[in-house]
Amino acid sequence: MSQRSERRGIHVDQSELLCKKGCGYYGNAAWQGLCSKCWREEQIQEDWALAEKLQREEEAAYVSSHSSSQTQPPQSHSQHSLATFSKFEEKKTNEKTRKVTTVKKFFSPSSRTAPKK
């Protein structure tokens, strides 16, 4: 048998294990070499950037849709939404009237009961 020692497995230098941002913590290959702290900070920055981009796009779409609808509103859509709202209001009024009538029945004297002496 020989006296030389054989090293088996994966050999990685300590500097390769540390976080790529140099914070001193150990990185993770699944997080592109960043530690959990730096990874979260990266994700938060990316999320903020995406949120700002989406906000700008949404504002631009809102402005363009309202500027075009104010210049020439479609008649059929306007009439349809007005008719739908009228039906909604009619149903709500009927429901409220029915509930009021039911409550009044509970508190009004009934003709079936004999008067108390």
mmCIF file of all heavy atoms in Angstrom, residues 51-100:
data_model
loop_
_atom_site.group_PDB
_atom_site.id
_atom_site.type_symbol
_atom_site.label_atom_id
_atom_site.label_comp_id
_atom_site.label_asym_id
_atom_site.label_seq_id
_atom_site.Cartn_x
_atom_site.Cartn_y
_atom_site.Cartn_z
ATOM 1 N N ALA A 51 -42.644 46.648 -10.283
ATOM 2 C CA ALA A 51 -43.846 47.349 -9.836
ATOM 3 C C ALA A 51 -43.897 48.759 -10.415
ATOM 4 O O ALA A 51 -44.958 49.217 -10.861
ATOM 5 C CB ALA A 51 -43.887 47.398 -8.315
ATOM 6 N N GLU A 52 -42.755 49.451 -10.430
ATOM 7 C CA GLU A 52 -42.723 50.796 -11.005
ATOM 8 C C GLU A 52 -43.024 50.761 -12.501
ATOM 9 O O GLU A 52 -43.759 51.609 -13.013
ATOM 10 C CB GLU A 52 -41.356 51.432 -10.752
ATOM 11 C CG GLU A 52 -41.149 51.834 -9.307
ATOM 12 C CD GLU A 52 -39.746 52.342 -9.029
ATOM 13 O OE1 GLU A 52 -38.858 52.203 -9.914
ATOM 14 O OE2 GLU A 52 -39.539 52.889 -7.937
ATOM 15 N N LYS A 53 -42.478 49.768 -13.199
ATOM 16 C CA LYS A 53 -42.722 49.639 -14.637
ATOM 17 C C LYS A 53 -44.208 49.381 -14.904
ATOM 18 O O LYS A 53 -44.820 50.017 -15.775
ATOM 19 C CB LYS A 53 -41.884 48.492 -15.200
ATOM 20 C CG LYS A 53 -42.105 48.225 -16.658
ATOM 21 C CD LYS A 53 -41.359 47.004 -17.127
ATOM 22 C CE LYS A 53 -41.778 46.635 -18.532
ATOM 23 N NZ LYS A 53 -41.528 45.245 -18.841
ATOM 24 N N LEU A 54 -44.802 48.472 -14.140
ATOM 25 C CA LEU A 54 -46.219 48.160 -14.316
ATOM 26 C C LEU A 54 -47.090 49.361 -13.980
ATOM 27 O O LEU A 54 -48.104 49.606 -14.644
ATOM 28 C CB LEU A 54 -46.604 46.954 -13.459
ATOM 29 C CG LEU A 54 -46.004 45.618 -13.884
ATOM 30 C CD1 LEU A 54 -46.352 44.532 -12.870
ATOM 31 C CD2 LEU A 54 -46.481 45.223 -15.260
ATOM 32 N N GLN A 55 -46.713 50.111 -12.948
ATOM 33 C CA GLN A 55 -47.461 51.304 -12.570
ATOM 34 C C GLN A 55 -47.450 52.324 -13.701
ATOM 35 O O GLN A 55 -48.480 52.903 -14.031
ATOM 36 C CB GLN A 55 -46.873 51.915 -11.291
ATOM 37 C CG GLN A 55 -47.611 53.143 -10.793
ATOM 38 C CD GLN A 55 -48.962 52.812 -10.226
ATOM 39 O OE1 GLN A 55 -49.177 51.717 -9.722
ATOM 40 N NE2 GLN A 55 -49.882 53.732 -10.322
ATOM 41 N N ARG A 56 -46.280 52.547 -14.299
ATOM 42 C CA ARG A 56 -46.188 53.493 -15.415
ATOM 43 C C ARG A 56 -47.040 53.031 -16.593
ATOM 44 O O ARG A 56 -47.744 53.833 -17.218
ATOM 45 C CB ARG A 56 -44.734 53.652 -15.852
ATOM 46 C CG ARG A 56 -43.897 54.499 -14.917
ATOM 47 C CD ARG A 56 -42.551 54.846 -15.524
ATOM 48 N NE ARG A 56 -41.749 53.665 -15.858
ATOM 49 C CZ ARG A 56 -40.906 53.068 -15.033
ATOM 50 N NH1 ARG A 56 -40.748 53.520 -13.816
ATOM 51 N NH2 ARG A 56 -40.209 52.009 -15.426
ATOM 52 N N GLU A 57 -46.999 51.725 -16.901
ATOM 53 C CA GLU A 57 -47.797 51.204 -18.013
ATOM 54 C C GLU A 57 -49.284 51.347 -17.732
ATOM 55 O O GLU A 57 -50.064 51.707 -18.617
ATOM 56 C CB GLU A 57 -47.447 49.732 -18.257
ATOM 57 C CG GLU A 57 -46.076 49.514 -18.851
ATOM 58 C CD GLU A 57 -45.713 48.043 -18.971
ATOM 59 O OE1 GLU A 57 -46.518 47.179 -18.565
ATOM 60 O OE2 GLU A 57 -44.610 47.760 -19.470
ATOM 61 N N GLU A 58 -49.673 51.077 -16.486
ATOM 62 C CA GLU A 58 -51.087 51.175 -16.127
ATOM 63 C C GLU A 58 -51.570 52.622 -16.205
ATOM 64 O O GLU A 58 -52.656 52.899 -16.711
ATOM 65 C CB GLU A 58 -51.291 50.640 -14.710
ATOM 66 C CG GLU A 58 -52.741 50.552 -14.295
ATOM 67 C CD GLU A 58 -52.901 49.918 -12.931
ATOM 68 O OE1 GLU A 58 -52.188 48.946 -12.652
ATOM 69 O OE2 GLU A 58 -53.733 50.407 -12.167
ATOM 70 N N GLU A 59 -50.750 53.555 -15.726
ATOM 71 C CA GLU A 59 -51.120 54.969 -15.805
ATOM 72 C C GLU A 59 -51.234 55.430 -17.249
ATOM 73 O O GLU A 59 -52.149 56.170 -17.595
ATOM 74 C CB GLU A 59 -50.105 55.818 -15.051
ATOM 75 C CG GLU A 59 -50.199 55.676 -13.546
ATOM 76 C CD GLU A 59 -49.056 56.343 -12.801
ATOM 77 O OE1 GLU A 59 -48.110 56.833 -13.460
ATOM 78 O OE2 GLU A 59 -49.106 56.360 -11.556
ATOM 79 N N ALA A 60 -50.314 54.988 -18.087
ATOM 80 C CA ALA A 60 -50.362 55.358 -19.500
ATOM 81 C C ALA A 60 -51.619 54.795 -20.159
ATOM 82 O O ALA A 60 -52.290 55.490 -20.937
ATOM 83 C CB ALA A 60 -49.113 54.861 -20.218
ATOM 84 N N ALA A 61 -51.963 53.554 -19.849
ATOM 85 C CA ALA A 61 -53.164 52.946 -20.418
ATOM 86 C C ALA A 61 -54.417 53.664 -19.924
ATOM 87 O O ALA A 61 -55.368 53.880 -20.686
ATOM 88 C CB ALA A 61 -53.221 51.466 -20.058
ATOM 89 N N TYR A 62 -54.422 54.045 -18.665
ATOM 90 C CA TYR A 62 -55.571 54.749 -18.091
ATOM 91 C C TYR A 62 -55.769 56.098 -18.778
ATOM 92 O O TYR A 62 -56.880 56.451 -19.161
ATOM 93 C CB TYR A 62 -55.368 54.936 -16.585
ATOM 94 C CG TYR A 62 -56.468 55.688 -15.901
ATOM 95 C CD1 TYR A 62 -57.643 55.041 -15.544
ATOM 96 C CD2 TYR A 62 -56.351 57.047 -15.621
ATOM 97 C CE1 TYR A 62 -58.669 55.724 -14.917
ATOM 98 C CE2 TYR A 62 -57.365 57.738 -14.998
ATOM 99 C CZ TYR A 62 -58.521 57.083 -14.647
ATOM 100 O OH TYR A 62 -59.539 57.760 -14.039
ATOM 101 N N VAL A 63 -54.677 56.834 -18.944
ATOM 102 C CA VAL A 63 -54.753 58.147 -19.584
ATOM 103 C C VAL A 63 -55.230 58.004 -21.024
ATOM 104 O O VAL A 63 -56.105 58.750 -21.473
ATOM 105 C CB VAL A 63 -53.382 58.857 -19.517
ATOM 106 C CG1 VAL A 63 -53.350 60.073 -20.423
ATOM 107 C CG2 VAL A 63 -53.067 59.249 -18.090
ATOM 108 N N SER A 64 -54.674 57.040 -21.753
ATOM 109 C CA SER A 64 -55.066 56.889 -23.153
ATOM 110 C C SER A 64 -56.515 56.419 -23.286
ATOM 111 O O SER A 64 -57.225 56.863 -24.186
ATOM 112 C CB SER A 64 -54.127 55.929 -23.873
ATOM 113 O OG SER A 64 -54.287 54.614 -23.384
ATOM 114 N N SER A 65 -56.982 55.565 -22.389
ATOM 115 C CA SER A 65 -58.367 55.090 -22.492
ATOM 116 C C SER A 65 -59.358 56.181 -22.110
ATOM 117 O O SER A 65 -60.416 56.297 -22.704
ATOM 118 C CB SER A 65 -58.586 53.851 -21.622
ATOM 119 O OG SER A 65 -58.558 54.197 -20.255
ATOM 120 N N HIS A 66 -59.011 57.014 -21.137
ATOM 121 C CA HIS A 66 -59.929 58.068 -20.728
ATOM 122 C C HIS A 66 -59.910 59.252 -21.685
ATOM 123 O O HIS A 66 -60.919 59.916 -21.860
ATOM 124 C CB HIS A 66 -59.617 58.516 -19.301
ATOM 125 C CG HIS A 66 -60.262 57.647 -18.282
ATOM 126 N ND1 HIS A 66 -60.006 56.306 -18.183
ATOM 127 C CD2 HIS A 66 -61.174 57.932 -17.325
ATOM 128 C CE1 HIS A 66 -60.721 55.805 -17.216
ATOM 129 N NE2 HIS A 66 -61.434 56.761 -16.669
ATOM 130 N N SER A 67 -58.783 59.518 -22.296
ATOM 131 C CA SER A 67 -58.735 60.627 -23.248
ATOM 132 C C SER A 67 -59.523 60.283 -24.506
ATOM 133 O O SER A 67 -60.192 61.124 -25.079
ATOM 134 C CB SER A 67 -57.301 60.991 -23.597
ATOM 135 O OG SER A 67 -56.666 59.917 -24.255
ATOM 136 N N SER A 68 -59.493 59.035 -24.927
ATOM 137 C CA SER A 68 -60.253 58.645 -26.127
ATOM 138 C C SER A 68 -61.737 58.485 -25.815
ATOM 139 O O SER A 68 -62.578 58.783 -26.646
ATOM 140 C CB SER A 68 -59.699 57.347 -26.713
ATOM 141 O OG SER A 68 -59.893 56.280 -25.807
ATOM 142 N N SER A 69 -62.085 58.057 -24.596
ATOM 143 C CA SER A 69 -63.499 57.873 -24.271
ATOM 144 C C SER A 69 -64.178 59.200 -23.998
ATOM 145 O O SER A 69 -65.382 59.322 -24.195
ATOM 146 C CB SER A 69 -63.656 56.947 -23.064
ATOM 147 O OG SER A 69 -63.156 57.568 -21.896
ATOM 148 N N GLN A 70 -63.433 60.222 -23.569
ATOM 149 C CA GLN A 70 -64.043 61.517 -23.316
ATOM 150 C C GLN A 70 -64.325 62.263 -24.608
ATOM 151 O O GLN A 70 -65.253 63.056 -24.672
ATOM 152 C CB GLN A 70 -63.129 62.361 -22.427
ATOM 153 C CG GLN A 70 -63.093 61.871 -20.997
ATOM 154 C CD GLN A 70 -62.125 62.675 -20.136
ATOM 155 O OE1 GLN A 70 -61.403 63.524 -20.644
ATOM 156 N NE2 GLN A 70 -62.115 62.390 -18.850
ATOM 157 N N THR A 71 -63.564 62.015 -25.631
ATOM 158 C CA THR A 71 -63.782 62.719 -26.887
ATOM 159 C C THR A 71 -65.004 62.199 -27.623
ATOM 160 O O THR A 71 -65.720 62.955 -28.240
ATOM 161 C CB THR A 71 -62.553 62.606 -27.808
ATOM 162 O OG1 THR A 71 -62.258 61.233 -28.025
ATOM 163 C CG2 THR A 71 -61.361 63.309 -27.196
ATOM 164 N N GLN A 72 -65.252 60.902 -27.545
ATOM 165 C CA GLN A 72 -66.369 60.333 -28.280
ATOM 166 C C GLN A 72 -66.886 59.098 -27.548
ATOM 167 O O GLN A 72 -66.499 57.977 -27.844
ATOM 168 C CB GLN A 72 -65.927 59.961 -29.688
ATOM 169 C CG GLN A 72 -67.065 59.695 -30.630
ATOM 170 C CD GLN A 72 -66.537 59.414 -32.014
ATOM 171 O OE1 GLN A 72 -65.498 58.806 -32.186
ATOM 172 N NE2 GLN A 72 -67.281 59.846 -33.023
ATOM 173 N N PRO A 73 -67.808 59.272 -26.580
ATOM 174 C CA PRO A 73 -68.315 58.117 -25.847
ATOM 175 C C PRO A 73 -69.253 57.289 -26.723
ATOM 176 O O PRO A 73 -70.081 57.843 -27.449
ATOM 177 C CB PRO A 73 -69.072 58.732 -24.670
ATOM 178 C CG PRO A 73 -69.436 60.093 -25.125
ATOM 179 C CD PRO A 73 -68.370 60.509 -26.096
ATOM 180 N N PRO A 74 -69.122 55.982 -26.696
ATOM 181 C CA PRO A 74 -70.024 55.137 -27.498
ATOM 182 C C PRO A 74 -71.429 55.157 -26.911
ATOM 183 O O PRO A 74 -71.629 54.969 -25.729
ATOM 184 C CB PRO A 74 -69.395 53.745 -27.384
ATOM 185 C CG PRO A 74 -68.513 53.792 -26.188
ATOM 186 C CD PRO A 74 -68.115 55.213 -25.999
ATOM 187 N N GLN A 75 -72.401 55.404 -27.770
ATOM 188 C CA GLN A 75 -73.785 55.521 -27.324
ATOM 189 C C GLN A 75 -74.349 54.195 -26.834
ATOM 190 O O GLN A 75 -75.029 54.139 -25.836
ATOM 191 C CB GLN A 75 -74.652 56.066 -28.473
ATOM 192 C CG GLN A 75 -74.406 57.532 -28.769
ATOM 193 C CD GLN A 75 -74.826 58.421 -27.620
ATOM 194 O OE1 GLN A 75 -75.783 58.135 -26.912
ATOM 195 N NE2 GLN A 75 -74.093 59.503 -27.426
ATOM 196 N N SER A 76 -74.085 53.121 -27.545
ATOM 197 C CA SER A 76 -74.678 51.842 -27.174
ATOM 198 C C SER A 76 -74.169 51.376 -25.804
ATOM 199 O O SER A 76 -74.933 50.866 -25.002
ATOM 200 C CB SER A 76 -74.381 50.783 -28.232
ATOM 201 O OG SER A 76 -72.978 50.596 -28.339
ATOM 202 N N HIS A 77 -72.897 51.579 -25.524
ATOM 203 C CA HIS A 77 -72.335 51.174 -24.232
ATOM 204 C C HIS A 77 -72.935 52.009 -23.111
ATOM 205 O O HIS A 77 -73.290 51.505 -22.061
ATOM 206 C CB HIS A 77 -70.814 51.313 -24.253
ATOM 207 C CG HIS A 77 -70.168 50.987 -22.952
ATOM 208 N ND1 HIS A 77 -70.125 49.702 -22.466
ATOM 209 C CD2 HIS A 77 -69.571 51.767 -22.027
ATOM 210 C CE1 HIS A 77 -69.523 49.714 -21.295
ATOM 211 N NE2 HIS A 77 -69.171 50.961 -21.006
ATOM 212 N N SER A 78 -73.055 53.303 -23.355
ATOM 213 C CA SER A 78 -73.606 54.217 -22.358
ATOM 214 C C SER A 78 -75.061 53.861 -22.048
ATOM 215 O O SER A 78 -75.468 53.817 -20.897
ATOM 216 C CB SER A 78 -73.487 55.637 -22.877
ATOM 217 O OG SER A 78 -74.375 56.482 -22.237
ATOM 218 N N GLN A 79 -75.845 53.618 -23.084
ATOM 219 C CA GLN A 79 -77.250 53.266 -22.893
ATOM 220 C C GLN A 79 -77.381 51.908 -22.208
ATOM 221 O O GLN A 79 -78.246 51.725 -21.357
ATOM 222 C CB GLN A 79 -77.973 53.257 -24.234
ATOM 223 C CG GLN A 79 -78.134 54.634 -24.831
ATOM 224 C CD GLN A 79 -78.677 54.589 -26.247
ATOM 225 O OE1 GLN A 79 -78.709 53.538 -26.870
ATOM 226 N NE2 GLN A 79 -79.085 55.738 -26.755
ATOM 227 N N HIS A 80 -76.528 50.974 -22.567
ATOM 228 C CA HIS A 80 -76.587 49.642 -21.965
ATOM 229 C C HIS A 80 -76.282 49.704 -20.471
ATOM 230 O O HIS A 80 -76.968 49.103 -19.659
ATOM 231 C CB HIS A 80 -75.611 48.705 -22.662
ATOM 232 C CG HIS A 80 -75.489 47.364 -22.022
ATOM 233 N ND1 HIS A 80 -76.518 46.441 -22.057
ATOM 234 C CD2 HIS A 80 -74.489 46.800 -21.304
ATOM 235 C CE1 HIS A 80 -76.142 45.358 -21.390
ATOM 236 N NE2 HIS A 80 -74.908 45.555 -20.916
ATOM 237 N N SER A 81 -75.236 50.438 -20.095
ATOM 238 C CA SER A 81 -74.876 50.513 -18.685
ATOM 239 C C SER A 81 -75.938 51.262 -17.895
ATOM 240 O O SER A 81 -76.206 50.938 -16.746
ATOM 241 C CB SER A 81 -73.504 51.156 -18.508
ATOM 242 O OG SER A 81 -73.483 52.439 -19.062
ATOM 243 N N LEU A 82 -76.586 52.243 -18.488
ATOM 244 C CA LEU A 82 -77.657 52.965 -17.812
ATOM 245 C C LEU A 82 -78.855 52.053 -17.588
ATOM 246 O O LEU A 82 -79.455 52.055 -16.509
ATOM 247 C CB LEU A 82 -78.069 54.193 -18.639
ATOM 248 C CG LEU A 82 -79.073 55.133 -18.001
ATOM 249 C CD1 LEU A 82 -78.505 55.691 -16.702
ATOM 250 C CD2 LEU A 82 -79.410 56.272 -18.944
ATOM 251 N N ALA A 83 -79.194 51.240 -18.580
ATOM 252 C CA ALA A 83 -80.313 50.302 -18.437
ATOM 253 C C ALA A 83 -79.996 49.238 -17.386
ATOM 254 O O ALA A 83 -80.855 48.885 -16.573
ATOM 255 C CB ALA A 83 -80.613 49.641 -19.775
ATOM 256 N N THR A 84 -78.768 48.759 -17.369
ATOM 257 C CA THR A 84 -78.369 47.766 -16.380
ATOM 258 C C THR A 84 -78.447 48.354 -14.983
ATOM 259 O O THR A 84 -78.920 47.707 -14.056
ATOM 260 C CB THR A 84 -76.932 47.282 -16.666
ATOM 261 O OG1 THR A 84 -76.877 46.792 -17.996
ATOM 262 C CG2 THR A 84 -76.515 46.202 -15.710
ATOM 263 N N PHE A 85 -77.999 49.591 -14.813
ATOM 264 C CA PHE A 85 -78.049 50.232 -13.514
ATOM 265 C C PHE A 85 -79.493 50.446 -13.070
ATOM 266 O O PHE A 85 -79.823 50.278 -11.893
ATOM 267 C CB PHE A 85 -77.298 51.569 -13.548
ATOM 268 C CG PHE A 85 -77.241 52.236 -12.212
ATOM 269 C CD1 PHE A 85 -76.448 51.716 -11.198
ATOM 270 C CD2 PHE A 85 -77.984 53.371 -11.957
ATOM 271 C CE1 PHE A 85 -76.397 52.317 -9.960
ATOM 272 C CE2 PHE A 85 -77.933 53.975 -10.716
ATOM 273 C CZ PHE A 85 -77.140 53.453 -9.712
ATOM 274 N N SER A 86 -80.369 50.786 -14.008
ATOM 275 C CA SER A 86 -81.786 50.975 -13.675
ATOM 276 C C SER A 86 -82.401 49.672 -13.173
ATOM 277 O O SER A 86 -83.154 49.670 -12.198
ATOM 278 C CB SER A 86 -82.567 51.464 -14.890
ATOM 279 O OG SER A 86 -82.106 52.726 -15.281
ATOM 280 N N LYS A 87 -82.078 48.573 -13.830
ATOM 281 C CA LYS A 87 -82.574 47.270 -13.384
ATOM 282 C C LYS A 87 -82.061 46.946 -11.991
ATOM 283 O O LYS A 87 -82.785 46.427 -11.147
ATOM 284 C CB LYS A 87 -82.167 46.173 -14.359
ATOM 285 C CG LYS A 87 -82.902 46.213 -15.671
ATOM 286 C CD LYS A 87 -82.433 45.105 -16.581
ATOM 287 C CE LYS A 87 -83.108 45.162 -17.922
ATOM 288 N NZ LYS A 87 -82.624 44.119 -18.829
ATOM 289 N N PHE A 88 -80.793 47.254 -11.747
ATOM 290 C CA PHE A 88 -80.198 47.009 -10.444
ATOM 291 C C PHE A 88 -80.935 47.810 -9.367
ATOM 292 O O PHE A 88 -81.284 47.286 -8.315
ATOM 293 C CB PHE A 88 -78.711 47.391 -10.465
ATOM 294 C CG PHE A 88 -78.070 47.429 -9.128
ATOM 295 C CD1 PHE A 88 -77.719 46.251 -8.487
ATOM 296 C CD2 PHE A 88 -77.811 48.629 -8.496
ATOM 297 C CE1 PHE A 88 -77.127 46.277 -7.243
ATOM 298 C CE2 PHE A 88 -77.225 48.663 -7.252
ATOM 299 C CZ PHE A 88 -76.874 47.492 -6.617
ATOM 300 N N GLU A 89 -81.151 49.091 -9.638
ATOM 301 C CA GLU A 89 -81.843 49.934 -8.665
ATOM 302 C C GLU A 89 -83.268 49.436 -8.415
ATOM 303 O O GLU A 89 -83.737 49.441 -7.286
ATOM 304 C CB GLU A 89 -81.869 51.386 -9.138
ATOM 305 C CG GLU A 89 -80.534 52.066 -9.011
ATOM 306 C CD GLU A 89 -80.690 53.505 -8.599
ATOM 307 O OE1 GLU A 89 -81.593 54.187 -9.097
ATOM 308 O OE2 GLU A 89 -79.876 53.927 -7.758
ATOM 309 N N GLU A 90 -83.936 48.979 -9.456
ATOM 310 C CA GLU A 90 -85.302 48.468 -9.308
ATOM 311 C C GLU A 90 -85.315 47.228 -8.417
ATOM 312 O O GLU A 90 -86.149 47.094 -7.517
ATOM 313 C CB GLU A 90 -85.880 48.140 -10.685
ATOM 314 C CG GLU A 90 -87.313 47.653 -10.657
ATOM 315 C CD GLU A 90 -87.839 47.308 -12.052
ATOM 316 O OE1 GLU A 90 -87.230 47.738 -13.045
ATOM 317 O OE2 GLU A 90 -88.854 46.602 -12.112
ATOM 318 N N LYS A 91 -84.370 46.326 -8.627
ATOM 319 C CA LYS A 91 -84.286 45.119 -7.797
ATOM 320 C C LYS A 91 -84.002 45.475 -6.347
ATOM 321 O O LYS A 91 -84.590 44.898 -5.437
ATOM 322 C CB LYS A 91 -83.202 44.183 -8.326
ATOM 323 C CG LYS A 91 -83.568 43.452 -9.584
ATOM 324 C CD LYS A 91 -82.456 42.527 -10.021
ATOM 325 C CE LYS A 91 -82.805 41.777 -11.280
ATOM 326 N NZ LYS A 91 -81.730 40.880 -11.708
ATOM 327 N N LYS A 92 -83.084 46.418 -6.114
ATOM 328 C CA LYS A 92 -82.760 46.821 -4.754
ATOM 329 C C LYS A 92 -83.971 47.440 -4.064
ATOM 330 O O LYS A 92 -84.230 47.175 -2.896
ATOM 331 C CB LYS A 92 -81.589 47.813 -4.744
ATOM 332 C CG LYS A 92 -80.263 47.212 -5.089
ATOM 333 C CD LYS A 92 -79.863 46.147 -4.115
ATOM 334 C CE LYS A 92 -79.266 46.715 -2.863
ATOM 335 N NZ LYS A 92 -78.790 45.702 -1.924
ATOM 336 N N THR A 93 -84.725 48.262 -4.777
ATOM 337 C CA THR A 93 -85.916 48.891 -4.206
ATOM 338 C C THR A 93 -86.953 47.837 -3.853
ATOM 339 O O THR A 93 -87.557 47.882 -2.768
ATOM 340 C CB THR A 93 -86.511 49.919 -5.194
ATOM 341 O OG1 THR A 93 -85.492 50.853 -5.531
ATOM 342 C CG2 THR A 93 -87.707 50.632 -4.608
ATOM 343 N N ASN A 94 -87.170 46.883 -4.754
ATOM 344 C CA ASN A 94 -88.135 45.812 -4.487
ATOM 345 C C ASN A 94 -87.725 44.985 -3.278
ATOM 346 O O ASN A 94 -88.551 44.627 -2.435
ATOM 347 C CB ASN A 94 -88.295 44.909 -5.711
ATOM 348 C CG ASN A 94 -89.015 45.587 -6.847
ATOM 349 O OD1 ASN A 94 -89.686 46.595 -6.655
ATOM 350 N ND2 ASN A 94 -88.854 45.061 -8.057
ATOM 351 N N GLU A 95 -86.453 44.686 -3.175
ATOM 352 C CA GLU A 95 -85.959 43.892 -2.046
ATOM 353 C C GLU A 95 -86.127 44.655 -0.738
ATOM 354 O O GLU A 95 -86.560 44.093 0.267
ATOM 355 C CB GLU A 95 -84.481 43.556 -2.271
ATOM 356 C CG GLU A 95 -83.898 42.652 -1.210
ATOM 357 C CD GLU A 95 -82.451 42.313 -1.496
ATOM 358 O OE1 GLU A 95 -82.063 42.233 -2.681
ATOM 359 O OE2 GLU A 95 -81.720 42.135 -0.524
ATOM 360 N N LYS A 96 -85.830 45.936 -0.754
ATOM 361 C CA LYS A 96 -85.959 46.755 0.453
ATOM 362 C C LYS A 96 -87.426 46.840 0.868
ATOM 363 O O LYS A 96 -87.750 46.713 2.055
ATOM 364 C CB LYS A 96 -85.408 48.149 0.192
ATOM 365 C CG LYS A 96 -85.395 49.029 1.400
ATOM 366 C CD LYS A 96 -84.755 50.365 1.101
ATOM 367 C CE LYS A 96 -84.780 51.265 2.316
ATOM 368 N NZ LYS A 96 -84.229 52.580 2.033
ATOM 369 N N THR A 97 -88.328 47.042 -0.084
ATOM 370 C CA THR A 97 -89.761 47.121 0.212
ATOM 371 C C THR A 97 -90.251 45.809 0.815
ATOM 372 O O THR A 97 -90.997 45.812 1.787
ATOM 373 C CB THR A 97 -90.550 47.435 -1.078
ATOM 374 O OG1 THR A 97 -90.030 48.633 -1.648
ATOM 375 C CG2 THR A 97 -92.025 47.596 -0.799
ATOM 376 N N ARG A 98 -89.792 44.695 0.261
ATOM 377 C CA ARG A 98 -90.196 43.386 0.770
ATOM 378 C C ARG A 98 -89.712 43.197 2.204
ATOM 379 O O ARG A 98 -90.458 42.720 3.063
ATOM 380 C CB ARG A 98 -89.635 42.284 -0.131
ATOM 381 C CG ARG A 98 -90.064 40.877 0.249
ATOM 382 C CD ARG A 98 -89.510 39.823 -0.700
ATOM 383 N NE ARG A 98 -88.066 39.864 -0.862
ATOM 384 C CZ ARG A 98 -87.188 39.336 -0.008
ATOM 385 N NH1 ARG A 98 -87.613 38.729 1.055
ATOM 386 N NH2 ARG A 98 -85.892 39.422 -0.244
ATOM 387 N N LYS A 99 -88.483 43.611 2.488
ATOM 388 C CA LYS A 99 -87.948 43.465 3.845
ATOM 389 C C LYS A 99 -88.699 44.345 4.830
ATOM 390 O O LYS A 99 -89.014 43.922 5.940
ATOM 391 C CB LYS A 99 -86.462 43.816 3.866
ATOM 392 C CG LYS A 99 -85.575 42.766 3.256
ATOM 393 C CD LYS A 99 -84.126 43.160 3.329
ATOM 394 C CE LYS A 99 -83.233 42.108 2.720
ATOM 395 N NZ LYS A 99 -81.816 42.510 2.751
ATOM 396 N N VAL A 100 -89.028 45.558 4.438
ATOM 397 C CA VAL A 100 -89.758 46.471 5.315
ATOM 398 C C VAL A 100 -91.136 45.907 5.618
ATOM 399 O O VAL A 100 -91.595 45.928 6.764
ATOM 400 C CB VAL A 100 -89.851 47.880 4.680
ATOM 401 C CG1 VAL A 100 -90.837 48.755 5.426
ATOM 402 C CG2 VAL A 100 -88.478 48.531 4.649
#
